[in-house]
Amino acid sequence: MLLDMIGSMNVEINAIPNPLIAHDGSRIDTASRWRANRASLLNLFASHVYGRPIDAPTDFVIEDDNRREVPAVGGLRRLVTLSFPPGTQIRLLQYTPIGAVRPTPAFVSMNFIGNQSIAEEDDVPIERGRIVDYPSGVTVNHRATEQSRSSCVDYLPIRTLLQRGYSAITFCCADIEEDFPDGHITGLRGRTNQPIETTGAIGAWAWGLSRVLDYISRCEPAINVKRVGVMGHSRMGKAALWAAACDERFAIAISNQSGQGGAAIHRRRVGETIGQITRAFPHWFCASHQAFEGRENELPIDQHQLLALIAPRLVMVTSAIDDQWADPDGERLACELARPVFELLGLPNLNYHCRPGTHDVWPEDWDRFLEFADRHLMDASKPD
Ligand code: GTR
């Protein structure tokens, strides 16, 4: 069936790296061999796609004045600012359910235009960083406006998450690094002297996502740090997958329409290509990634192996039929090609779904994410 699928998929079967053959040609036929090879596979992604993981101080202090807890949308809300030397501040918007009998599972998700776009309440500070432009007055000249309040509530539906027993934490990607080719200058990479040729913004954002896990484990007993999922849409989906590949503390990764540089297979060259993405967003990847434009078959990896790096933890990949730019078939193929690794590790924790419609996060997408997450994260009888 996989061969039939590949036959109709615009890729040469021989050109796709077999996830169960190591880079040195040896067979990976046991879980321990997979484990032993994992770091070198991760390194290939660091060298050729995302750049090296960020090497920056991870100690933080909490700005105490922001920790006031208030009731909101049926749960408890906190605004928590984490300060990292020398000058990075991650402003977290956090919600936890009221009256939970044990530490809850949680979703962490980076947002595009600020916490005020996720919150229903109107007292959440408006993001001050430079952000991507959104239509209809929500942003003006790359700055969020008052109109941006609650404009993205479907992106991370706090009310629903709380009702279903989850906590949720979000922050704006601009807190780490503004999403522009020169974002590194004032962002994490500039501040901590990371070489920009061998690092990327996606890696910087992934660093930020991991810091939220540090915060939960050190400071937030209401959340079970062993049951935290990372979810992202589109470019944030790319960052979510890379974060979960790099940081094995994430229990579940959800990629919504992450496409090129996310869950889609490069070698298909359908929808967005390496050439297009590295020209439009050179800062997302390490500099050497663009050299694979038109030479996708020479990449030592493909994106199914990124999904495999998250195994045996939970991975859900979702696409939308009308979002051909993100290549839904390429995302489905990546899941099928990653599946043998999940099977080798004995846990079939990989799920793919494609819905009708366009590039966005819809309430029905979250219905699916939570249905999947519930089965694993809400079962208190399962070991952490
Ligand atoms: C597009 C980009 C995609 C995707 C998308 C998004 O312009 O080409 O790779 O990341 O932006 O993040 O919405």
Side-chain angles (χ1 to χ4, degrees):
M1 182 211 146
L2 180 57
L3 285 178
D4 287 351
M5 186 171 163
I6 290 173
S8 62
M9 280 273 187
N10 201 38
V11 276
E12 297 160 43
I13 175 80
N14 294 334
I16 300 182
N18 180 336
L20 294 180
I21 307 243
H23 196 46
D24 66 7
S26 60
R27 275 217 146 264
I28 300 172
D29 47 12
T30 62
S32 62
R33 289 208 174 119
W34 170 261
R35 200 66 229 153
N37 184 59
R38 194 181 175 280
S40 72
L41 179 58
L42 195 73
N43 254 325
L44 291 174
F45 277 96
S47 305
H48 301 293
V49 186
Y50 302 107
R52 293 203 309 256
I54 301 296
D55 180 18
T58 56
D59 278 346
F60 61 85
V61 291
I62 291 184
E63 307 287 330
D64 276 324
D65 49 336
N66 280 338
R67 292 200 83 203
R68 205 163 47 91
E69 195 164 64
V70 294
V73 287
L76 293 172
R77 188 198 76 192
R78 264 189 191 176
L79 300 171
V80 182
T81 301
L82 310 181
S83 289
F84 298 82
T88 298
Q89 291 209 319
I90 310 183
R91 284 167 280 264
L92 304 180
L93 170 66
Q94 169 189 321
Y95 298 84
T96 48
I98 291 173
V101 291
R102 60 178 69 82
T104 71
F107 276 98
V108 176
S109 184
M110 225 175 347
N111 62 67
F112 288 68
I113 63 165
N115 293 340
Q116 80 289 345
S117 69
I118 305 291
E120 287 185 31
E121 316 84 80
D122 62 9
D123 61 339
V124 171
I126 301 245
E127 174 62 34
R128 293 283 162 237
R130 203 166 33 134
I131 50 177
V132 289
D133 257 340
Y134 265 46
S136 67
V138 164
T139 60
V140 171
N141 294 333
H142 299 303
R143 303 286 165 184
T145 66
E146 274 294 324
Q147 280 186 53
S148 66
R149 291 196 179 283
S150 316
S151 59
C152 304
V153 289
D154 290 343
Y155 184 82
L156 187 67
I158 303 296
R159 221 173 249 283
T160 310
L161 284 159
L162 290 170
Q163 275 163 7
R164 303 269 295 244
Y166 290 86
S167 297
I169 299 184
T170 186
F171 64 95
C172 182
C173 62
D175 283 7
I176 306 294
E177 211 164 289
E178 294 174 344
D179 188 7
F180 296 89
D182 63 357
H184 64 92
I185 297 173
T186 53
L188 174 70
R189 286 184 295 156
R191 280 193 294 265
T192 60
N193 302 317
Q194 311 290 312
I196 60 165
E197 285 73 27
T198 53
T199 58
I202 289 177
W205 294 329
W207 179 91
L209 288 163
S210 282
R211 302 293 68 79
V212 180
L213 288 180
D214 296 349
Y215 156 73
I216 293 170
S217 65
R218 286 186 220 156
C219 316
E220 190 40 272
I223 298 176
N224 181 347
V225 73
K226 302 235 168 86
R227 297 193 179 201
V228 175
V230 57
M231 175 273 169
H233 167 66
S234 207
R235 66 196 71 185
M236 296 300 135
K238 306 180 210 299
L241 290 174
W242 181 234
C246 293
D247 191 334
E248 295 186 82
R249 292 175 298 171
F250 285 111
I252 165 165
I254 296 185
S255 146
N256 195 60
Q257 303 153 26
S258 59
Q260 177 63 33
I265 293 287
H266 296 287
R267 281 163 170 76
R268 268 168 53 77
R269 305 191 64 207
V270 170
E272 189 172 27
T273 62
I274 292 179
Q276 287 161 327
I277 203 169
T278 55
R279 267 190 295 281
F281 307 100
H283 54 294
W284 287 355
F285 306 97
C286 59
S288 58
H289 188 48
Q290 67 188 37
F292 291 96
E293 169 176 12
R295 295 171 40 216
E296 286 79 359
N297 283 354
E298 292 171 43
L299 260 174
I301 46 76
D302 212 317
Q303 294 304 102
H304 59 303
Q305 291 161 292
L306 179 65
L307 306 181
L309 279 168
I310 307 171
R313 292 165 293 145
L314 307 165
V315 181
M316 178 154 197
V317 172
T318 49
S319 316
I321 293 170
D322 298 336
D323 183 19
Q324 289 296 320
W325 186 240
D327 188 17
D329 281 347
E331 298 194 313
R332 181 161 61 100
L333 178 61
C335 291
E336 290 316 315
L337 293 167
R339 214 172 282 291
V341 175
F342 286 81
E343 281 163 7
L344 178 72
L345 302 182
L347 289 166
N349 284 341
L350 176 63
N351 201 346
Y352 174 78
H353 189 267
C354 186
R355 64 151 166 80
T358 50
H359 187 68
D360 206 348
V361 187
W362 290 356
E364 68 182 78
D365 295 323
W366 271 102
D367 289 344
R368 272 198 200 92
F369 304 159
L370 292 181
E371 201 182 296
F372 179 60
D374 274 0
R375 288 205 297 270
H376 304 273
L377 302 186
M378 276 298 167
D379 185 345
S381 68
K382 281 194 179 170
D384 280 336

